[in-house]
Amino acid sequence: MVRAPKGTPAWTIEELLAQRAQWIYHHQNKVLDRCRRVAEARSTFPLSLPLLGVEYPVVYAHGPGGVREGIVYLPPCRTAPDVAKALEQLYRAQAKEYLPGRTLRLAEKYQLYPTRIQINGARGRWGSCSGKNSLNFSWRLMLADVSAVDYVICHELAHIKHHNHSQSFWQLVGEMRPDYQASQNHLKELEQSLFYQSWCSEPLNSKG
Ligand SMILES: [Zn+2]
């Protein structure tokens, strides 16, 4: 649709459109590009998934789900809630397999021992430490890379010594993970990308 003052001769409009055609074409392409990117990211059925910083191709098939030989197997899904459920099961299983063992290893290394390690579905935080030094990690942490996962684990272990975010706390975190700011940035980017996933539509934040 073209808006023009009443009485504008048609040839003026056509000439103007011809002049602007290239700009309009360019602009349309830019908008289409952006729509395509958002649609791809929001796709109900992801074609690949990140796990500990590695992107795995996804195959939807009958049979046992899980990760085998570099491929993520998901059950056949029909709707977005089906996908969300299958992904939560997949990441929860992976989190239970990986996070407690990794946490105990780092606990040994830094001599900071949690009383309990649990996996939860927290959206608001990647990990937390209770007053009784029980650690909780969100299964969503499995979407991050290994270095960022180690940072979150060390962050929570550091809370065993300092139950606050004081200068001494950050000093300890810095001794454990000298590059922790890069991990914080990675987690922030991950939060933003998760915002566009239909199966994980609520953003996380790196608190805790
Ligand atoms: Zn904290």
Side-chain angles (χ1 to χ4, degrees):
M1 193 177 85
V2 175
R3 280 181 206 277
K6 220 176 166 184
T8 307
W11 63 267
T12 313
I13 296 168
E14 275 159 24
E15 196 171 78
L16 191 75
L17 281 180
Q19 279 171 8
R20 285 289 181 108
Q22 213 179 344
W23 180 86
I24 290 169
Y25 180 72
H26 178 73
H27 183 69
Q28 283 176 332
N29 266 343
K30 245 169 69 179
V31 171
L32 280 176
D33 244 22
R34 195 163 55 220
C35 291
R36 220 172 278 138
R37 276 204 304 276
V38 171
E40 243 165 58
R42 275 192 162 294
S43 162
T44 308
F45 306 102
L47 298 176
S48 71
L49 288 169
L51 181 64
L52 293 176
V54 178
E55 197 74 16
Y56 289 81
V58 176
V59 171
Y60 296 87
H62 290 286
V67 186
R68 289 190 300 279
E69 287 162 7
I71 294 170
V72 167
Y73 289 92
L74 290 180
C77 297
R78 286 187 179 176
T79 62
D82 283 352
V83 174
K85 201 175 146 195
L87 288 187
E88 176 169 350
Q89 274 175 1
L90 173 93
Y91 282 116
R92 252 185 207 278
Q94 295 291 322
K96 279 184 183 160
E97 210 176 289
Y98 181 78
L99 293 174
R102 185 67 192 153
T103 304
L104 288 177
R105 232 178 124 168
L106 292 166
E108 286 283 347
K109 185 174 174 185
Y110 298 109
Q111 306 282 297
L112 294 165
Y113 299 99
T115 52
R116 205 173 169 195
I117 301 160
Q118 281 181 299
I119 308 302
N120 64 22
R123 286 178 184 276
R125 39 176 59 180
W126 301 105
S128 61
C129 174
S130 78
K132 290 178 178 170
N133 297 333
S134 157
L135 303 192
N136 287 284
F137 297 104
S138 172
W139 58 260
R140 290 173 175 80
L141 188 54
M142 294 304 284
L143 292 148
D145 68 29
V146 268
S147 176
V149 173
D150 274 2
Y151 157 66
V152 173
I153 293 173
C154 287
H155 180 121
E156 302 314 334
L157 288 174
H159 276 316
I160 293 173
K161 200 164 178 187
H162 304 284
H163 283 272
N164 50 49
H165 288 124
S166 62
Q167 219 175 336
S168 327
F169 167 80
W170 286 113
Q171 198 180 328
L172 177 59
V173 171
E175 283 162 21
M176 297 160 96
R177 306 289 305 167
D179 62 343
Y180 75 87
Q181 271 164 343
S183 296
Q184 287 180 330
N185 292 338
H186 168 75
L187 291 169
K188 265 186 208 134
E189 275 169 31
L190 182 61
E191 285 154 29
Q192 279 166 7
S193 72
L194 289 183
F195 187 73
Y196 290 105
Q197 308 293 338
S198 57
W199 48 270
C200 200
S201 59
E202 285 174 52
L204 280 150
N205 60 56
S206 333
K207 274 185 276 171

